[in-house]
Every structure is written in structure tokens, then in C-alpha cells.
Amino acid sequence: MSFLICVGALAFLMLVAYRGFSVILFAPIAAMGAVLLTDPSAVPPIFTGLFMDKMVGFVKLYFPVFLLGAVFGKVIELSGFSKSIVSAVIKLIGRERAVTSIVLVCLLLTYGGVSLFVVVFAVYPFAAEMFRQSDIPKRLIPGVIALGAFTVTMDALPGTPQIQNIIPTTFFKTTAYAAPWLGVIGSIFILALGLLYLEWRVRSAIARGEGYGSGHINEPEPVASEALPNPILALSPLVAVGVLNKLFTMAIPIIYGTTNEVALTPGATPLVTQVSSVAGIWAVEGALLCGILMVLAFAWKPVSRRFADGTKAAIGGSLLAAMNTASEYGFGAVIAALPGFLVIRDALAAIPNPLVNEAVTVTVLAGITGSASGGMSIALAAMSDQFIAAANAAGIPMEVLHRVASMASGGMDTLPHNGAVITLLAVTGLTHRQSYGDIFVITCIKTLAVFFVIAVYYLTGIV
């Protein structure tokens, strides 16, 4: 019965997420429902002392990353830099290579720190125009954007500032550059298979005589031929975020040491910070802040005109994203405290290989919740100590645990109820029936890549 209570809570949360209800509301309902069925008297203390404690702790650590990432993406958009980058890449690669061009644009923007949600809105008008001119079926656009924005730059490439690459740093005391070679190898695997698949889909459609189609909804206006910023200038803030992230990652431990104590007034109790737990977060925050300041310095006039309204929308979006994930984090902590979770933990522990154990756990929970960051947060909040102990026993570096957890979170997370998938289809005016099949293939490639990376590690020892 205790096992069924855990599974029922997870199934309930997955169902409400799939139906489009707010996870912020229903994650505590699902968690407290499970506690109620286990021990009714424990509901108030568990809610206050565990659920809210973990939820607030997540916000304390990661909300600045969500906030700065959203504001950075918005000022990149308001400045015209995103349009400039898209236009330059299309000219460089060629309109006849529509799939490769759109994937490359998405990679550049997301690796530079722009939120994948912002990328969907920024890239779609250009993708639609290229596909229309090349007479490629519009239904293939979501799969192309998913490969560029939802895969390697989200969690595989070393140094990416996306939240899925930052969360593991606090559990494993690593940095955003953990296991760089494994990340690069996994990225090549995903992009090679993904591009081969999408190009095959394009050729097959053209061979059948299928064109762009007609009667589509949410068709964008033709892209205006306005004067755009210099593409090198537009790229510079994105490059700066990546470079500064690396420099701050190296400099922060040197400046602050492993533990820092500070007291603003003489005689006060010093505030003690374990720098090793937050160095990766500080580095990303500092890099994103510098990137925002660069955009403001280079494009003050266009950004300042719409900065107030634009940042309101960005801040609202970052609050929603952070609170969704924090609610799932609190939910995971409660589920991990239930007696029924012991059955799940023991079943997963039966997988003898620690890396495979971690990958399966993270990707299954990401699939259930429909959220890469949410599923990983649940898994690491509940089982990170077990993963670390098993890895230490097997002599596996924490950097490898970081990269496997991060990449696994972006595996089965893009099931039909995933928020990013729903947003992508809504923006492009397409349905699950029309376009989800290609997204699912990309999802399977991404999931397979995690186990490919694990095999590479065991065969070569490369990190």
C-alpha cells in the first residue's frame, strides 16, 4: 500500500501536468495527499518543515539564475541582436540548408544563455519563411527547433548556463564545465543522428510531393528587412557569457576559498558560506549579469524604449518557471520521505551500475513530471547521497555523475505533457498529431545519448 501511495502521487502529478493544470498548485496537493494517506497527523509539520523548506531552499539557490537568464534573453530580443544572429547564420549557411541553419541558430542562442522559450519565439518567424521558400512541410519545424534548443545546449555541452546544467553543481560540488569531453562526445552523437533523421524526413516529404502546405494557423508576418545590428556585435554578449562563466568558475574558489566568513559589523556572528556548493551558481549569475550590461551598453536606445514592459514579462516568466520547478523539488523531498519510496529506491538500487542507476532514475522522473529540471531535482533531492556513495565506491568522479544526471534530465522530459513542447506547438500553430512524432524521435536520440556517453566513459575513462 505504501508503494502504491507513492506511485499514485506521481501518477496524479503527471496527469494534472498533462491536462495543463498548474504544478505550483497541484505539487503540494499531491505530496500532502500522499502524507495524508500515510499518517494524517503528519500533514502540517511535513508541509511546513519539509515541503516548504525544500521549495524555498530551491528558490534561494536558483531563482537568480532563472531571473538573470530571462532578462538576458529579453534584452537580446529587444536589442535586435537575436534577429541579427539569425539573419547572419542564414546568409552564411544558405537558405537551401534550412534544417542546418535553424538548428545552428538555436544552438548559438541557447548556448549563449538565451532561454529556450525565448528562442522559440525568436526563431519561428525565420524558420517559417525558410521552410515556405524551400517548400518544406511546416509540420517539420517543431522537430528542427527541438533539436537545436532542447538538447545539447541545454545540458550536454560544457559550460552551458541553462538551469539543467547548474542544478547538479550544488549536489556534486562541481562546476558547469564538468566532464567536458563526455559532454562534447554526447553532443556530437545527438546532433549527428538528429540532423541525419531530420534531413531524411525532409527528403522523404519532398519525394512524396508534399510542400509547405496551406491553411496553417499562427503564420508569422514576413520577416522585415530592417537595418539590423552588426552580427559580430550581436554575438559578443553571448560569447562574453561563456568566457566569463569559465573565468568566474576558476576565480571564485581562489578569491573566496572553500569556506568564506563575513561579518559586516565588528563583533557580529559571521555569515559562513560553503563556497564549493555555490561557486558554479555564482559564476553563471556573474556572467549573465555582465552579458545584460553589455547589451545595454551596445544597444541602449532600442532596449531602453521597451525595457520596462519587456522585463516585466521576462520576470513574470522566470518566476513561473522557478516556482514550477521549486514545487516539484518540494514534492520530491516529501515523496522521498515516505515509507513507500524505500521500495522504489531499493528497486532502482538493484541496478548494479551507479551511472546507469542515476540515468534511469533521473530520466524516468523527468518523463513523469514533464520537466527536465523538475525531474532531476526530485531525483537528486531524494537519491544524490546514494549516487555519490555508489560512485565513490566505484571510483567514478563527481564530474561524470554531474554530466550523466544533466543529460539524463533532458532525455524523456519532452513527453507530450512537457511545457516547452506545448509552448513550441502553440507558437508554431501545429498539433501533437501533426508534429510530435519528430519531437519524440529527438527525445529517443537524446535518451540514447546518455547511455552512449556512459559506455564511452567505461571504455576509455575519458572525462
Side-chain angles (χ1 to χ4, degrees):
M1 180 58 70
S2 60
F3 169 73
L4 292 177
I5 289 171
C6 282
V7 173
L10 288 168
F12 174 74
L13 185 60
M14 180 173 67
L15 176 64
V16 296
Y18 181 78
R19 297 297 297 272
F21 292 101
S22 172
V23 173
I24 299 173
L25 174 62
F26 280 97
I29 290 175
M32 292 307 104
V35 176
L36 181 67
L37 294 174
T38 302
D39 182 359
S41 65
V43 171
I46 291 294
F47 177 74
T48 302
L50 185 56
F51 181 88
M52 289 303 300
D53 183 65
K54 293 296 184 181
M55 179 177 175
V56 172
F58 182 92
V59 173
K60 170 188 169 184
L61 280 174
Y62 301 115
F63 175 65
V65 178
F66 281 92
L67 175 64
L68 292 170
V71 172
F72 180 65
K74 179 55 68 174
V75 296
I76 286 286
E77 177 189 339
L78 296 177
S79 63
F81 286 2
S82 59
K83 283 187 178 181
S84 176
I85 294 167
V86 172
S87 179
V89 169
I90 290 171
K91 288 179 182 177
L92 180 66
I93 302 297
R95 290 184 176 274
E96 67 279 4
R97 298 184 179 89
V99 171
T100 303
S101 297
I102 296 304
V103 168
L104 182 57
V105 166
C106 293
L107 291 174
L108 284 172
L109 291 173
T110 47
Y111 195 50
V114 180
S115 164
L116 56 89
F117 289 97
V118 174
V119 169
V120 170
F121 287 96
V123 172
Y124 169 55
F126 294 89
E129 184 168 294
M130 291 183 69
F131 275 52
R132 191 186 303 114
Q133 291 180 4
S134 302
D135 205 25
I136 299 171
K138 182 185 178 181
R139 61 183 176 82
L140 300 179
I141 291 177
V144 175
I145 294 178
L147 176 62
F150 298 175
T151 58
V152 301
T153 51
M154 189 175 83
D155 52 47
L157 281 176
T160 176
Q162 302 295 334
I163 192 67
Q164 292 81 5
N165 189 44
I166 305 304
I167 290 174
T169 62
T170 58
F171 291 94
F172 302 127
K173 309 298 185 293
T174 50
T175 71
Y177 290 87
W181 288 111
L182 290 179
V184 169
I185 291 168
S187 298
I188 294 171
F189 178 91
I190 295 163
L191 289 176
L193 289 185
L195 286 172
L196 284 173
Y197 167 77
L198 291 171
E199 292 289 358
W200 170 74
R201 291 282 286 163
V202 169
R203 289 195 303 271
S204 299
I206 293 174
R208 291 194 303 269
E210 182 183 357
Y212 183 78
S214 59
H216 296 301
I217 63 172
N218 286 13
E219 281 292 275
E221 295 293 327
V223 177
S225 57
E226 64 207 67
L228 296 173
N230 185 292
I232 296 176
L233 180 70
L235 271 172
S236 60
L238 281 73
V239 174
V241 169
V243 173
L244 290 173
N245 184 14
K246 179 63 174 177
L247 293 177
F248 290 155
T249 298
M250 295 186 295
I252 287 171
I254 296 172
I255 296 170
Y256 291 98
T258 55
T259 303
N260 179 257
E261 295 185 9
V262 60
L264 296 179
T265 56
T269 303
L271 177 67
V272 180
T273 303
Q274 297 296 324
V275 177
S276 58
S277 299
V278 294
I281 298 174
W282 287 1
V284 171
E285 291 169 356
L288 287 172
L289 183 58
C290 291
I292 293 168
L293 294 175
M294 280 186 67
V295 177
L296 293 176
F298 293 158
W300 172 255
K301 181 180 278 189
V303 173
S304 62
R305 287 198 300 264
R306 296 182 290 163
F307 185 79
D309 291 337
T311 51
K312 283 178 185 176
I315 291 167
S318 68
L319 275 168
L320 182 61
M323 291 301 293
N324 273 326
T325 308
S327 293
E328 292 169 339
Y329 188 71
F331 170 83
V334 173
I335 295 300
L338 296 173
F341 190 77
L342 295 174
V343 179
I344 300 174
R345 189 185 66 186
D346 292 343
L348 291 170
I351 301 174
N353 186 286
L355 294 179
V356 174
N357 186 343
E358 180 187 42
V360 170
T361 303
V362 172
T363 201
V364 165
L365 289 175
I368 289 172
T369 59
S371 167
S373 53
M376 177 166 53
S377 297
I378 291 172
L380 296 185
M383 303 181 70
S384 61
D385 290 341
Q386 177 181 320
F387 296 150
I388 291 170
N392 286 334
I396 298 171
M398 291 298 104
E399 288 80 5
V400 179
L401 275 186
H402 172 130
R403 188 56 53 208
V404 168
S406 184
M407 290 183 65
S409 75
M412 298 305 293
D413 68 309
T414 43
L415 291 179
H417 58 295
N418 173 266
V421 170
I422 293 170
T423 300
L424 174 58
L425 294 175
V427 169
T428 55
L430 295 162
T431 65
H432 280 79
R433 182 184 295 273
Q434 291 172 300
S435 298
Y436 181 71
D438 295 318
I439 298 174
F440 182 70
V441 172
I442 300 301
T443 295
C444 292
I445 292 172
K446 184 69 171 60
T447 305
L448 181 62
V450 183
F451 298 97
F452 175 75
V453 163
I454 292 172
V456 168
Y457 169 72
Y458 280 116
L459 288 172
T460 65
I462 194 171
V463 175

